[in-house]
């Protein structure tokens, strides 16, 4: 029985495991490093224990310390998640020695799959189909080259100890062999301290299809169908889906059975994934087995409606598999998109920073967001930059894909660069829509996936009325609440002496002038904006960093963030970053008119103290308004006259509204 579970991991997978454990009434213990003191997984768990400084080696990889803390806290089982200690045979042994259940396979199974060549030998004996190739111990160049010549080019050289695509080289002809072998060996030695090589037939248009397997300690095993993970960048998965499109039931069954054969060959127990390359002629070949729960397990959960963490915990308790093969069904289609803090335009370089705006699509039974962060959290240099996994389900691939694209459109992040726009491009690419998937998808469609966005200034102008509206509304909120902000500066607004004011926005290094005319001050203030001789009637309101805008009668909703006066505005079609150019005091009046005729807060006009056009002296009170039970006078800044009162006595005004237009000209003429 597992009563108390320690999750030796962080981020989304720690949160994911805690959810199921909570649902099953199992007490949870989180572990954390300095960087994760306030992390979501720490908050979600019943207890949390500190491991050490932020680098993984000093915290999440401290197997000895994790065991020590587990014993102190009376933990029955440890779930390693993925990465970190999940495929560490030594740690699995350490758990066993200390009478703690390791929620994963036996150490011997982890070891068996640790080397690609040893794994291939085991699979060969078990009758699992392998990519034609050489995986023997004899490592002379002559032997390796003879193997390559015999199978025919292209071939792929792979490091036996490899992972993450390192120590891998394609060889397209006999002539290139020697050089490629030396390069692959050097890379492998540098990364893994070992230069043992495999030679494989290089498949030019394969798909990466993997099978989810589960085995119990009583010798039973089932497969929970497949996932297609062909769309990759740098040999890392970006979008995964289940089932694999266009895969026939007979290939599915054959591959599933081959995966079970592979698992049984190493006396596997628990959740595992057997990865295959699927060729165009439907032949498939074993690539490797991952002895843990995979990042992309949610797509399998969506199509089988099973909770794989629940399965893991059940098996870890020594119980039989929750279901037999004939009880498992595949329903509909699911996608997972990995949301990363990275810059696709700069070779997917990880990005770090504070998630100052984080809006996720609404979750329901067809849209799921697995994440370990909340708004305000830091994406640090210490860990994997994955922010979340967006998972959707549909009755078929077409419906699921529409949901994916729509949900990606509702994902807004500011503070770090993300791959969200890139994911949208992949998901809506005609070849992806048509399910023309191969592992070279991103390379093949490089030009269209990375094409520059439509001219920034064109987009800018399309967004100008919304940007101006947002500026106007935030000014109003700031003035009403008396919040210190860019708007507290009286000179922020140019009063040009007539019935209008000018707002200057800075977007993509371009200054955009907007003429603003105030129309109405009620629950929903309205303005008339003129940009490039085009007018727009705009109104709207702000609710919790959401802007509800009506522009020329069209309503739309945006999320936005305000970073010290730099605004970012998002919705499905828009992503605009801009700021407001603040006029310095007296900027637009040569005679130094620094007057501010804005209402300081919401209130009522009490009286006009002068007539329109009547000459007044500098310092004369010209209007009284009442707000918060106090009267406030507006004083003439210079000799001159009131050109226009925009509100009559008794009328309500909103904070920030311009109350009157004042002119100094006539006084000068007299
Ligand atoms: P690693 O362990 O370094 O990630 P894998 O053996 O899992 O390496 O392969 C990673 C990716 O490389 C696969 O998903 C596939 O895209 C590609 N690949 C591997 N072997 C072959 C092959 N024989 N032919 C073509 N592509 C291959």
């Amino acid at each position: 029985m597992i009563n108390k579970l320690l999750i030796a991991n962080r981020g989304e997978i720690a949160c994911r495991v805690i959810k199921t454990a909570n649902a099953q009434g199992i007490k949870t213990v989180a572990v954390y490093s300095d960087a994760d003191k306030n992390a979501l997984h720490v908050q979600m768990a019943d207890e949390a224990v500190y491991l050490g400084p932020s680098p993984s080696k000093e915290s999440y990889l401290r197997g000895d310390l994790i065991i020590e803390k587990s014993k102190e806290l009376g933990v029955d089982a440890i779930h390693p998640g993925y990465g970190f200690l999940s495929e560490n045979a030594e740690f699995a042994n350490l758990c066993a020695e200390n009478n703690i259940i390791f929620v994963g396979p036996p150490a011997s199974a982890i070891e068996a799959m640790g080397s690609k060549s040893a794994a291939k030998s085991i699979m060969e004996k078990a009758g699992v189909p392998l990519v034609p190739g050489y995986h023997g111990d004899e490592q002379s160049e002559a032997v390796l080259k003879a193997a390559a010549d015999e199978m025919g080019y292209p071939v792929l050289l792979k490091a036996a100890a490899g992972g993450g695509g390192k120590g891998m080289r394609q060889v397209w002809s006999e002539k290139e062999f020697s050089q490629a072998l030396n390069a692959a060996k050097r890379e492998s030695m540098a990364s893994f301290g070992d230069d043992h090589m495999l030679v494989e037939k290089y498949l030019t248009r394969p798909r990466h299809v993997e099978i989810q397997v589960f085995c119990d300690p009583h010798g039973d095993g089932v497969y929970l169908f497949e996932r297609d993970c062909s769309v990759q960048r740098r040999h890392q998965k970006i979008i995964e889906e289940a089932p694999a499109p266009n895969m026939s039931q007979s290939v599915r069954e054959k591959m599933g059975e081959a995966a079970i054969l592979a698992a049984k060959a190493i006396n596997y127990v628990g959740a595992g994934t057997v990865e295959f390359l699927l060729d165009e002629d439907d032949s498939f070949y074993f690539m490797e087995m991952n002895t843990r729960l995979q990042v992309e397990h949610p797509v399998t959960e969506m199509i089988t409606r099973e909770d794989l963490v629940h399965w893991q915990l059940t098996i870890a308790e020594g119980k039989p598999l929750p279901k037999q093969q004939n009880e498992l069904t595949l329903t509909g289609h699911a996608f997972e998109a990995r949301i990363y803090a990275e810059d696709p335009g700069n070779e997917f370089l990880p990005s770090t920073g504070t998630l100052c705006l984080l809006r996720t699509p609404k979750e329901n039974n067809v849209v799921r967001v697995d994440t370990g962060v909340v708004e305000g959290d830091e994406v640090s240099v210490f860990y994997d930059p994955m922010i979340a996994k967006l998972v959707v389900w549909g009755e078929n691939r077409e419906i699921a894909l529409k949901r994916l694209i729509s949900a990606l459109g509702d994902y807004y992040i500011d503070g770090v660069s993300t791959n969200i726009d890139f994911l949208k491009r992949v998901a809506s690419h005609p070849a992806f829509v048509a399910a023309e998937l191969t592992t070279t998808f991103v390379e093949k469609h490089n030009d269209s996936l990375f094409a520059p966005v439509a001219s920034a200034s064109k987009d800018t102008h399309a967004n100008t009325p919304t940007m101006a509206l947002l500026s106007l509304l935030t000014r109003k909120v700031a003035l009403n609440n008396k919040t210190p902000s860019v708007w507290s500066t009286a000179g922020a607004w140019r009063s040009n002496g007539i019935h209008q004011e000018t707002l200057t926005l800075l977007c993509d290094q371009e200054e955009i002038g907007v003429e603003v005319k105030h129309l109405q001050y009620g629950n929903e203030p309205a303005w008339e904006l003129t940009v490039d001789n085009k007018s727009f009637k705009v109104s709207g309101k702000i609710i919790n960093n959401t802007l509800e805008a009506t522009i020329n009668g069209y309503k739309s909703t945006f999320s936005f963030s305000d970073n010290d006066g730099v605004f970012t505005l998002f919705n499905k079609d828009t992503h605009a970053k801009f700021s407001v150019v603040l006029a310095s005091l007296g900027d637009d009046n040569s005679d130094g008119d620094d007057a501010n005729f804005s209402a300081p807060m919401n209130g009522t006009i009490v009286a006009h103290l002068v007539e329109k056009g009547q000459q007044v002296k500098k310092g004369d009170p010209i209007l009284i308004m009442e707000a918060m039970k106090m009267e406030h006078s507006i004083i003439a800044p210079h000799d001159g006259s009131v050109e226009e009162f925009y509100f009559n006595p008794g009328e309500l005004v909103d904070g920030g509204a311009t109350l009157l237009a004042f002119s100094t000209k006539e006084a000068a003429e007299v």
Side-chain angles (χ1 to χ4, degrees):
M1 272 288 275
I2 302 175
N3 290 313
K4 199 171 194 181
L5 178 74
L6 180 140
I7 300 95
N9 215 304
R10 63 179 299 283
E12 71 86 16
I13 193 62
C15 298
R16 161 72 194 91
V17 174
I18 292 170
K19 265 186 202 154
T20 293
N22 277 345
Q24 290 184 218
I26 295 174
K27 287 207 180 72
T28 52
V29 181
V31 292
Y32 65 95
S33 67
D34 282 336
D36 284 339
K37 265 192 248 130
N38 302 313
L40 189 60
H41 75 279
V42 173
Q43 292 168 31
M44 281 173 68
D46 298 313
E47 289 174 72
V49 42
Y50 173 71
L51 292 179
S54 308
S56 322
K57 270 204 179 131
E58 297 172 56
S59 47
Y60 296 107
L61 288 172
R62 288 281 312 274
D64 55 335
L65 185 62
I66 293 174
I67 298 280
E68 189 189 310
K69 299 285 179 192
S70 298
K71 284 165 75 178
E72 262 173 46
L73 294 170
V75 162
D76 306 303
I78 298 180
H79 194 302
Y82 51 71
F84 297 133
L85 297 167
S86 61
E87 291 177 285
N88 184 316
E90 209 180 305
F91 182 69
N93 271 328
L94 209 57
C95 289
E97 282 163 21
N98 287 280
N99 279 327
I100 297 170
I101 299 169
F102 175 73
V103 183
S108 56
I110 301 178
E111 267 160 10
M113 290 296 126
S115 154
K116 285 189 205 294
S117 50
K120 284 185 86 169
S121 297
I122 297 171
M123 293 309 150
E124 192 171 38
K125 277 199 206 102
V128 179
L130 301 180
V131 186
Y134 174 80
H135 52 268
D137 287 333
E138 179 56 67
Q139 289 284 303
S140 71
E141 181 171 337
V143 168
L144 295 173
K145 181 159 181 300
D149 290 349
E150 199 188 319
M151 73 186 79
Y153 293 87
V155 300
L156 186 67
L157 294 169
K158 265 190 195 179
K166 290 199 188 96
M168 234 189 235
R169 281 285 180 293
Q170 295 167 18
V171 191
W172 289 83
S173 72
E174 203 184 326
K175 280 184 290 178
E176 293 171 20
F177 190 87
S178 183
Q179 210 182 345
L181 178 66
N182 289 330
K185 280 190 165 210
R186 274 196 307 273
E187 200 171 287
S188 177
M189 188 51 97
S191 305
F192 315 108
D194 176 295
D195 64 359
H196 199 99
M197 285 288 143
L198 271 65
V199 189
E200 278 182 6
K201 178 84 193 142
Y202 180 68
L203 307 179
T204 48
R205 301 187 58 194
R207 288 161 69 182
H208 173 124
V209 178
E210 58 186 35
I211 302 280
Q212 175 70 57
V213 295
F214 264 93
C215 298
D216 67 18
H218 312 286
D220 282 329
V222 293
Y223 59 91
L224 283 81
F225 314 109
E226 77 283 358
R227 297 183 284 258
D228 190 319
C229 314
S230 299
V231 180
Q232 306 178 347
R233 50 126 174 91
R234 287 194 270 113
H235 299 298
Q236 284 186 302
K237 299 157 187 167
I238 310 174
I239 298 185
E240 302 97 337
E241 59 183 292
N246 308 319
M247 188 151 123
S248 69
Q249 187 55 26
S250 83
V251 175
R252 173 168 299 126
E253 280 168 19
K254 274 192 216 143
M255 201 185 264
E257 281 156 19
I260 294 293
L261 208 60
K264 289 199 169 159
I266 55 166
N267 297 319
Y268 201 77
V269 179
T273 295
V274 185
E275 297 189 337
F276 294 97
L277 286 175
L278 174 63
D279 212 350
E280 287 167 296
D281 64 357
D282 272 356
S283 38
F284 58 84
Y285 309 101
F286 170 84
M287 205 164 26
E288 65 176 350
M289 179 167 184
N290 293 319
T291 54
R292 53 172 156 83
L293 188 70
Q294 303 261 108
V295 174
E296 60 273 24
H297 75 275
V299 288
T300 301
E301 297 189 317
M302 288 297 226
I303 59 154
T304 57
R305 313 225 160 118
E306 298 294 332
D307 177 336
L308 300 198
V309 175
H310 166 66
W311 278 55
Q312 284 190 296
L313 297 174
T314 306
I315 291 166
E317 286 185 325
K319 293 179 186 149
L321 288 164
K323 280 190 177 167
Q324 295 304 309
Q325 193 66 55
N326 60 10
E327 294 172 298
L328 288 163
T329 49
L330 188 167
T331 313
H333 202 96
F335 285 99
E336 172 184 280
R338 300 188 186 191
I339 315 269
Y340 277 103
E342 65 180 16
D343 183 0
N346 189 7
E347 297 185 344
F348 299 97
L349 206 72
S351 164
T352 55
T354 305
L355 297 164
C356 55
L357 178 102
L358 179 63
R359 283 299 122 80
T360 57
K362 261 204 195 93
E363 288 190 74
N364 49 43
N365 55 358
V366 294
V367 177
R368 161 175 166 185
V369 177
D370 280 19
T371 189
V373 291
V374 295
E375 193 166 272
D377 279 359
E378 195 80 18
V379 179
S380 75
V381 292
F382 299 107
Y383 314 111
D384 185 84
M386 191 169 79
I387 298 172
K389 306 184 311 203
L390 171 62
V391 188
V392 301
W393 180 89
E395 290 73 2
N396 57 41
R397 189 175 190 270
E398 194 184 333
I399 297 171
L401 186 55
K402 260 198 200 140
R403 286 193 179 133
L404 175 69
I405 295 167
S406 165
L408 282 167
D410 290 336
Y411 222 119
Y412 310 123
I413 295 176
D414 195 24
V416 294
S417 305
T418 74
N419 64 341
I420 295 174
D421 284 340
F422 179 74
L423 290 169
K424 278 192 237 170
R425 283 186 180 208
V426 172
S428 34
H429 194 284
F432 190 86
V433 175
E436 289 161 12
L437 308 173
T438 71
T439 55
T440 53
F441 183 91
V442 173
E443 258 170 279
K444 184 173 169 195
H445 302 292
N446 185 76
D447 292 351
S448 45
L449 292 175
F450 292 94
V453 278
S455 143
S457 59
K458 207 169 137 202
D459 277 7
T460 301
H461 287 154
N463 295 327
T464 302
T466 321
M467 296 193 291
L469 173 64
L470 178 60
S471 314
L472 291 160
L473 287 168
T474 53
R475 177 185 70 154
K476 202 167 94 56
V477 171
L479 290 172
N480 281 356
N481 298 341
K482 293 258 177 228
T483 2
S485 81
V486 286
W487 300 120
S488 346
T489 322
W493 285 76
R494 305 180 193 199
S495 161
N496 60 10
I498 52 165
H499 191 110
Q500 281 187 334
E501 45 196 342
T502 304
L503 173 64
T504 309
L505 303 174
L506 182 68
C507 184
D508 283 334
Q509 294 167 339
E510 192 188 345
E511 283 200 1
I512 310 163
V514 183
E515 291 301 318
V516 181
K517 189 171 163 188
H518 295 247
L519 293 181
Q520 180 190 319
Y521 301 90
N523 279 341
E524 191 156 307
W527 293 271
E528 186 176 302
L529 307 178
T530 310
V531 191
D532 287 344
N533 295 322
K534 274 196 219 123
S535 331
F536 302 87
K537 282 223 169 78
V538 304
S539 61
K541 54 178 179 265
I542 288 173
I543 304 162
N544 298 331
N545 277 14
T546 299
L547 165 69
E548 288 179 16
T550 306
I551 300 193
N552 285 345
Y554 292 98
K555 278 188 186 294
S556 37
T557 305
F558 299 82
S559 283
F560 72 92
S561 65
D562 175 359
N563 259 330
D564 287 337
V566 178
F567 295 96
T568 310
L569 188 68
F570 303 87
N571 78 356
K572 277 197 206 299
D573 318 303
T574 305
H575 183 157
K577 217 179 185 100
F578 69 97
S579 56
V580 180
V581 179
L582 301 182
S584 56
L585 287 180
D587 179 47
D588 62 347
N589 271 314
S590 50
D591 60 355
D593 181 1
D594 57 0
N596 173 26
F597 298 112
S598 299
M601 59 193 87
N602 290 351
T604 315
I605 302 298
V606 176
H608 296 166
L609 300 177
V610 296
E611 300 281 353
K612 187 173 145 185
Q614 180 190 332
Q615 285 181 33
V616 294
K617 292 265 180 249
K618 180 177 174 180
D620 284 349
I622 46 183
L623 177 146
I624 295 178
M625 73 171 279
E626 187 231 80
M628 300 186 75
K629 302 205 171 94
M630 281 175 67
E631 288 197 351
H632 305 264
S633 308
I634 301 284
I635 307 290
H638 301 285
D639 294 357
S641 64
V642 173
E643 268 196 344
E644 188 75 60
F645 285 107
Y646 297 138
F647 299 92
N648 290 318
E651 275 189 280
L652 293 173
V653 293
D654 280 5
T658 303
L659 302 174
L660 55 92
F662 189 84
S663 171
T664 50
K665 277 193 199 121
E666 282 150 48
E669 278 161 16
V670 172

Short mmCIF file of all heavy atoms in Angstrom, two decimals, residues 127-150:
data_model
loop_
_atom_site.label_atom_id
_atom_site.label_comp_id
_atom_site.label_asym_id
_atom_site.label_seq_id
_atom_site.Cartn_x
_atom_site.Cartn_y
_atom_site.Cartn_z
N GLY A 127 13.26 -11.37 -31.25
CA GLY A 127 12.50 -11.36 -32.50
C GLY A 127 11.79 -10.04 -32.77
O GLY A 127 10.81 -9.99 -33.53
N VAL A 128 12.25 -8.94 -32.14
CA VAL A 128 11.66 -7.62 -32.41
C VAL A 128 12.36 -7.04 -33.64
O VAL A 128 13.59 -7.09 -33.72
CB VAL A 128 11.88 -6.68 -31.19
CG1 VAL A 128 11.31 -5.30 -31.46
CG2 VAL A 128 11.28 -7.28 -29.93
N PRO A 129 11.61 -6.54 -34.64
CA PRO A 129 12.28 -6.05 -35.86
C PRO A 129 13.21 -4.87 -35.57
O PRO A 129 12.85 -3.94 -34.84
CB PRO A 129 11.12 -5.62 -36.76
CG PRO A 129 9.91 -5.56 -35.90
CD PRO A 129 10.16 -6.43 -34.71
N LEU A 130 14.41 -4.91 -36.14
CA LEU A 130 15.41 -3.86 -35.93
C LEU A 130 15.70 -3.16 -37.24
O LEU A 130 15.58 -3.77 -38.31
CB LEU A 130 16.73 -4.47 -35.45
CG LEU A 130 16.73 -5.27 -34.16
CD1 LEU A 130 18.16 -5.78 -33.88
CD2 LEU A 130 16.25 -4.42 -33.00
N VAL A 131 16.13 -1.91 -37.19
CA VAL A 131 16.60 -1.24 -38.40
C VAL A 131 17.81 -2.05 -38.86
O VAL A 131 18.67 -2.39 -38.04
CB VAL A 131 17.10 0.20 -38.09
CG1 VAL A 131 17.44 0.94 -39.38
CG2 VAL A 131 16.09 0.98 -37.29
N PRO A 132 17.87 -2.41 -40.16
CA PRO A 132 19.03 -3.18 -40.61
C PRO A 132 20.30 -2.44 -40.20
O PRO A 132 20.36 -1.21 -40.31
CB PRO A 132 18.88 -3.22 -42.13
CG PRO A 132 17.47 -2.84 -42.41
CD PRO A 132 16.97 -2.06 -41.24
N GLY A 133 21.27 -3.18 -39.68
CA GLY A 133 22.48 -2.48 -39.25
C GLY A 133 23.41 -3.38 -38.48
O GLY A 133 23.17 -4.58 -38.34
N TYR A 134 24.45 -2.76 -37.99
CA TYR A 134 25.48 -3.48 -37.25
C TYR A 134 25.53 -2.94 -35.82
O TYR A 134 25.64 -1.73 -35.62
CB TYR A 134 26.83 -3.27 -37.96
CG TYR A 134 27.99 -3.85 -37.19
CD1 TYR A 134 28.29 -5.21 -37.24
CD2 TYR A 134 28.78 -3.03 -36.38
CE1 TYR A 134 29.33 -5.75 -36.51
CE2 TYR A 134 29.83 -3.55 -35.65
CZ TYR A 134 30.10 -4.91 -35.71
OH TYR A 134 31.13 -5.44 -34.99
N HIS A 135 25.46 -3.85 -34.83
CA HIS A 135 25.56 -3.39 -33.45
C HIS A 135 26.49 -4.28 -32.64
O HIS A 135 26.29 -4.52 -31.46
CB HIS A 135 24.18 -3.28 -32.79
CG HIS A 135 23.36 -4.53 -32.91
ND1 HIS A 135 22.49 -4.76 -33.94
CD2 HIS A 135 23.30 -5.64 -32.12
CE1 HIS A 135 21.92 -5.95 -33.78
NE2 HIS A 135 22.40 -6.50 -32.69
N GLY A 136 27.54 -4.77 -33.35
CA GLY A 136 28.48 -5.69 -32.69
C GLY A 136 29.57 -4.97 -31.91
O GLY A 136 29.64 -3.74 -31.88
N ASP A 137 30.43 -5.79 -31.27
CA ASP A 137 31.49 -5.24 -30.43
C ASP A 137 32.73 -4.84 -31.23
O ASP A 137 33.49 -3.98 -30.81
CB ASP A 137 31.91 -6.27 -29.37
CG ASP A 137 30.84 -6.39 -28.30
OD1 ASP A 137 30.10 -5.39 -28.10
OD2 ASP A 137 30.71 -7.47 -27.68
N GLU A 138 32.94 -5.52 -32.37
CA GLU A 138 34.12 -5.22 -33.19
C GLU A 138 33.97 -3.80 -33.74
O GLU A 138 33.00 -3.49 -34.42
CB GLU A 138 34.19 -6.26 -34.34
CG GLU A 138 35.33 -6.08 -35.29
CD GLU A 138 36.70 -6.09 -34.61
OE1 GLU A 138 37.10 -7.15 -34.08
OE2 GLU A 138 37.34 -5.02 -34.61
N GLN A 139 34.94 -2.92 -33.41
CA GLN A 139 34.75 -1.50 -33.68
C GLN A 139 35.78 -0.91 -34.65
O GLN A 139 35.91 0.31 -34.75
CB GLN A 139 34.78 -0.71 -32.37
CG GLN A 139 33.55 -0.93 -31.50
CD GLN A 139 32.33 -0.18 -32.03
OE1 GLN A 139 32.34 1.03 -32.18
NE2 GLN A 139 31.28 -0.94 -32.33
N SER A 140 36.54 -1.78 -35.37
CA SER A 140 37.53 -1.20 -36.28
C SER A 140 36.81 -0.51 -37.43
O SER A 140 35.68 -0.88 -37.79
CB SER A 140 38.46 -2.29 -36.81
OG SER A 140 37.74 -3.10 -37.72
N GLU A 141 37.49 0.49 -38.01
CA GLU A 141 36.85 1.23 -39.11
C GLU A 141 36.52 0.29 -40.26
O GLU A 141 35.45 0.41 -40.88
CB GLU A 141 37.78 2.36 -39.58
CG GLU A 141 37.14 3.16 -40.70
CD GLU A 141 37.90 4.42 -41.09
OE1 GLU A 141 38.66 4.95 -40.26
OE2 GLU A 141 37.70 4.87 -42.23
N ALA A 142 37.41 -0.69 -40.52
CA ALA A 142 37.19 -1.61 -41.64
C ALA A 142 35.89 -2.39 -41.45
O ALA A 142 35.08 -2.52 -42.38
CB ALA A 142 38.38 -2.56 -41.75
N VAL A 143 35.67 -2.86 -40.23
CA VAL A 143 34.45 -3.66 -39.96
C VAL A 143 33.21 -2.78 -40.07
O VAL A 143 32.20 -3.16 -40.70
CB VAL A 143 34.54 -4.32 -38.56
CG1 VAL A 143 33.20 -4.89 -38.14
CG2 VAL A 143 35.60 -5.42 -38.56
N LEU A 144 33.28 -1.60 -39.49
CA LEU A 144 32.11 -0.70 -39.53
C LEU A 144 31.80 -0.30 -40.97
O LEU A 144 30.64 -0.28 -41.38
CB LEU A 144 32.37 0.54 -38.66
CG LEU A 144 32.53 0.28 -37.15
CD1 LEU A 144 32.95 1.54 -36.42
CD2 LEU A 144 31.23 -0.26 -36.53
N LYS A 145 32.85 -0.02 -41.73
CA LYS A 145 32.63 0.42 -43.11
C LYS A 145 32.10 -0.73 -43.98
O LYS A 145 31.20 -0.53 -44.81
CB LYS A 145 33.92 0.99 -43.70
CG LYS A 145 33.75 1.48 -45.12
CD LYS A 145 34.81 2.47 -45.53
CE LYS A 145 34.59 2.95 -46.94
NZ LYS A 145 34.61 1.87 -47.94
N ALA A 146 32.63 -1.93 -43.74
CA ALA A 146 32.14 -3.09 -44.50
C ALA A 146 30.65 -3.27 -44.25
O ALA A 146 29.87 -3.55 -45.19
CB ALA A 146 32.92 -4.34 -44.09
N ALA A 147 30.24 -3.05 -43.00
CA ALA A 147 28.81 -3.18 -42.67
C ALA A 147 28.00 -2.13 -43.44
O ALA A 147 26.93 -2.43 -44.00
CB ALA A 147 28.61 -3.02 -41.17
N ALA A 148 28.53 -0.91 -43.48
CA ALA A 148 27.83 0.17 -44.18
C ALA A 148 27.75 -0.12 -45.67
O ALA A 148 26.68 0.01 -46.29
CB ALA A 148 28.56 1.49 -43.94
N ASP A 149 28.88 -0.54 -46.26
CA ASP A 149 28.90 -0.84 -47.70
C ASP A 149 27.88 -1.92 -48.03
O ASP A 149 27.17 -1.84 -49.04
CB ASP A 149 30.30 -1.32 -48.12
CG ASP A 149 31.33 -0.19 -48.07
OD1 ASP A 149 30.91 0.98 -47.90
OD2 ASP A 149 32.54 -0.48 -48.17
N GLU A 150 27.79 -2.89 -47.15
CA GLU A 150 26.91 -4.03 -47.43
C GLU A 150 25.43 -3.62 -47.40
O GLU A 150 24.65 -4.03 -48.24
CB GLU A 150 27.19 -5.13 -46.41
CG GLU A 150 26.69 -6.49 -46.89
CD GLU A 150 26.80 -7.52 -45.79
OE1 GLU A 150 27.82 -7.52 -45.06
OE2 GLU A 150 25.83 -8.30 -45.64
#
